[in-house]
Amino acid sequence: MEAEKKPPAVSDVGAWAMNVVSSVGIIMANKQLMSSSGYAFAFATTLTGFHFTVTALVGWISNATGYSVSKHVPLWELVWFSLVANTSITGMNLSLMLNSVGFYQISKLSMIPVVCLMEWVLNSKHYTTKVISAVVVVAAGVGICTVTDVQVNAKGFICACVAVFCTSLQQITIGSFQKKYNIGSFELLSKTAPIQALSLIILGPFVDYYLNGRSLLDYPFSGGATFFILLSCSLAVFCNMSQYLCIGRFSATSFQVLGHMKTVCVLILGWILFDSALTVKNILGMLIAVMGMVVYSWAVEAEKKATTAIPRNKSDMLDGEDVPLKARVSGLPPVDLEEGEMKS
């Protein structure tokens, strides 16, 4: 557990790499599975239910073999979290159906300021001017390269607002649960996945029928479609796992900002694999977004160094005789300033 609270730098990079690779991979697999030129599997909500079913199965095997340890989380909180997460998924699908792709992209970009606002309200988290500026640059860059036509209606706007709110709340709750119950990312995912899987498998076909007017029972499952469904589910395990891992180690804001690297990768791979158009506007937007991500990473690191430097400066101002006295008053063992270790 301590290894997850204080992960080495390599593990942090590995967590981000897992999330980017699995997320981009699942988008590419779903594009082939769901596009009309592919296998036309137009059941996105049900597919998400398949994803969580496989994730829940992996979690159950992990617990049964002793690879992970199950910790207690109140059932009502798991049900509440699953309800928020499933509402997020359904809201996103409805938003994409009712609005234009341009407005759908804008609603996804709006998650960054919404997450920042919610972390400020719920967790009293404050952001420096450098961090806020970097967030604006990232949002502007991604907006330039993804937003095209913008059309919206009342129903679509309401669905987009619900989706953005629930997605932001879900991501913040992931980090809060891990701290509140001292539970690892994979252990938490193993507890939430079965509830999400059961509800999405039951409700998913009805939601998809409302979205596209097609029944899952009428779909001709071919060998190719089955292969891409299994591939999508396998990638979803790593995608879900890395999402919980990254949010637990960093923050929901960092996950949103640096997560837009996936958007850049999808655009590039779409151009390479599917002959998608890549204009000067797309390239300019990607460059601005990447620059914003670099500035954001630098600003967050600078903020961390400034925060950790404050107690170190205060301790430098104390005389050597004062430290043991203050330690005794607070009930802590004295600190040896030369050795930097607690004396028992």
Side-chain angles (χ1 to χ4, degrees), residues 41 43 46 205-206 208-209 214-221:
F41 186 83
F43 308 98
T46 305
F206 297 100
D208 291 328
Y209 184 79
R214 296 172 59 185
S215 172
L216 181 66
L217 298 176
D218 297 331
Y219 180 77
F221 283 91

Side-chain angles (χ1 to χ4, degrees), residues 173-216:
T173 305
I174 289 173
S176 299
F177 275 9
Q178 292 187 47
K179 293 180 177 68
K180 182 178 180 180
Y181 297 107
N182 193 27
I183 188 172
S185 53
F186 185 69
E187 287 78 12
L188 179 60
L189 177 60
S190 300
K191 288 184 173 294
T192 59
I195 302 175
Q196 287 188 255
L198 181 62
S199 55
L200 287 173
I201 288 294
I202 294 174
L203 299 176
F206 297 100
V207 174
D208 291 328
Y209 184 79
Y210 172 76
L211 290 173
N212 54 52
R214 296 172 59 185
S215 172
L216 181 66

Side-chain angles (χ1 to χ4, degrees), residues 73-83 177 188 191-192 195-196:
V73 178
L75 179 61
W76 73 268
E77 294 217 70
L78 295 176
V79 172
W80 172 83
F81 173 84
S82 300
L83 178 63
F177 275 9
L188 179 60
K191 288 184 173 294
T192 59
I195 302 175
Q196 287 188 255

Side-chain angles (χ1 to χ4, degrees), residues 14 31 40 53 84 109 120 155 212 220 224 243 277 308 323 330:
K31 186 178 180 69
T53 300
V84 171
L109 287 174
W120 174 64
K155 288 183 179 179
N212 54 52
Q243 178 187 4
T308 55
V323 177
S330 61

Side-chain angles (χ1 to χ4, degrees), residues 132-144:
I132 295 174
S133 301
V135 167
V136 172
V137 172
V138 172
V142 176
I144 289 172

